[in-house]
Amino acid sequence: MERQARMINRAIVMSEAVLASRLRQFPNLVQHHVVVCITEPGQPFLNIEGENVLRLTFHDLDPQLLGDGDKSCLRRYTVFSEALADHVVRFLIERNQKTGKAQILVVQCQAGIARSGAVARFAVELFKLNQDEFKADNPNIEPNKHVLALLRRSAGLPQPNPESE
């Protein structure tokens, strides 16, 4: 997949509580940033809407951690899928093309560690953002490897050696 011009120029990961606080301070935040909100199924989203906002619902699971064992237990969970990955990739590329000016990507999940970390790290790779700045801005993330792998596959990005992550 061809890389797009960099309109999304930075990726920040936030917990739900931090983003809620920022929204109280800056009610127009979504007009100036691209926002991906991730929540557990059955949990409410933060009260934000707009064309720059993508809402996703899935559990923070990595089916690979179950190994080759019985994965029937996953039926009661909403696992990140290829369809969701395609949707995220399309949204990010579209927002990157339509923003018209440099914007920050804010990715939020409940803790701001795994699911949001995966989406943000993927955006850094997709848009070739500054890795050092990303790591400094988001020192505590532990990206969900399943989510990150599906996003990379959807965008046609290489899957790095697991030991290098």
Side-chain angles (χ1 to χ4, degrees), residues 13-66:
V13 173
M14 294 183 186
S15 68
E16 183 176 3
V18 170
L19 182 55
S21 173
R22 296 277 170 87
L23 287 168
R24 284 189 295 277
Q25 294 173 331
F26 308 103
N28 295 327
L29 184 133
V30 297
Q31 294 173 0
H32 306 289
H33 301 307
V34 175
V35 182
V36 176
C37 294
I38 305 167
T39 190
E40 295 275 327
Q43 297 299 311
F45 283 101
L46 292 174
N47 189 25
I48 56 174
E49 294 181 17
E51 67 177 353
N52 285 346
V53 178
L54 175 64
R55 294 176 169 196
L56 301 171
T57 302
F58 61 95
H59 288 98
D60 186 10
L61 295 172
D62 183 347
Q64 299 304 315
L65 295 178
L66 296 175

Side-chain angles (χ1 to χ4, degrees), residues 136-148:
D137 287 342
N138 306 286
N140 298 316
I141 65 167
E142 291 288 334
N144 178 308
K145 291 179 180 173
H146 171 71
V147 172
L148 187 55

Side-chain angles (χ1 to χ4, degrees), residues 51-99:
E51 67 177 353
N52 285 346
V53 178
L54 175 64
R55 294 176 169 196
L56 301 171
T57 302
F58 61 95
H59 288 98
D60 186 10
L61 295 172
D62 183 347
Q64 299 304 315
L65 295 178
L66 296 175
D68 293 328
D70 181 15
K71 295 185 180 172
S72 63
C73 65
L74 291 175
R75 280 185 244 146
R76 64 184 154 201
Y77 297 102
T78 302
V79 180
F80 192 74
S81 66
E82 289 182 16
L84 277 176
D86 292 344
H87 186 60
V88 171
V89 170
R90 281 191 309 273
F91 172 80
L92 291 175
I93 290 172
E94 178 183 288
R95 290 292 90 212
N96 190 56
Q97 291 173 336
K98 291 186 177 180
T99 57

Side-chain angles (χ1 to χ4, degrees), residues 89-134:
V89 170
R90 281 191 309 273
F91 172 80
L92 291 175
I93 290 172
E94 178 183 288
R95 290 292 90 212
N96 190 56
Q97 291 173 336
K98 291 186 177 180
T99 57
K101 62 178 183 170
Q103 291 191 319
I104 295 172
L105 169 65
V106 176
V107 188
Q108 167 266 316
C109 67
Q110 179 150 2
I113 297 172
R115 293 172 292 176
S116 55
V119 173
R121 173 156 304 153
F122 165 74
V124 167
E125 294 173 10
L126 180 66
F127 300 126
K128 297 185 178 180
L129 305 182
N130 184 304
Q131 292 275 347
D132 293 331
E133 180 179 65
F134 176 72

